[in-house]
Amino acid sequence: MHSVFYISKDEGITWKYASRVDVTKDMKSPGEGPCEPAIATLADGRVLAVFRLSGGIPLWQAYSSDNGLTWTSPKAMSGKAASGSAMVPFAVWPELLLLSNGALVLASGRPGIVSSTLVVSLSLSASLCVEVLCVCQ
């Protein structure tokens, strides 16, 4: 139960094992374990990985400062919506996109089901969901 990361230095012709994110003791109900990872390289050079553990459990995140060779200890995602209320993103198949204006977009959800999530964050601190502008569920 882990997500494995590989690196290619020749535009995907060959691949080399880089690292993996494993189940940790903080993951009380790991279900399938870290799976379905999405990654994005942030403006400060860190790599953010967002992944799910199982259905109905919040998404988790980890950061790498060495292009995916090592990762911080994974943490459950949490934050506040623009309204000030608590917001915990969860769903399947997370996707990350860093926009040219620095905003980071996280989308997740099962295709064809209304309960999808869209999170837009303008500033990144210790976690992704900071100053969330839009949450559509």
Side-chain angles (χ1 to χ4, degrees), residues 7-16:
I7 294 176
S8 175
K9 296 183 179 182
D10 56 13
E11 298 184 19
I13 295 171
T14 60
W15 294 89
K16 178 182 171 188

Side-chain angles (χ1 to χ4, degrees), residues 90-110:
F90 68 94
V92 299
W93 294 110
E95 296 289 334
L96 287 170
L97 178 63
L98 183 63
L99 303 180
S100 60
N101 67 358
L104 183 64
V105 177
L106 165 66
S108 61
R110 192 175 306 278

Side-chain angles (χ1 to χ4, degrees), residues 47-105:
V47 177
L48 168 63
V50 172
F51 50 88
R52 75 182 197 102
L53 298 180
S54 186
I57 295 176
L59 293 174
W60 282 59
Q61 64 186 8
Y63 292 91
S64 174
S65 296
D66 56 11
N67 291 317
L69 297 177
T70 61
W71 295 92
T72 61
S73 181
K75 301 290 181 205
M77 295 181 70
S78 65
K80 291 187 178 183
S83 66
S85 62
M87 198 280 306
V88 178
F90 68 94
V92 299
W93 294 110
E95 296 289 334
L96 287 170
L97 178 63
L98 183 63
L99 303 180
S100 60
N101 67 358
L104 183 64
V105 177

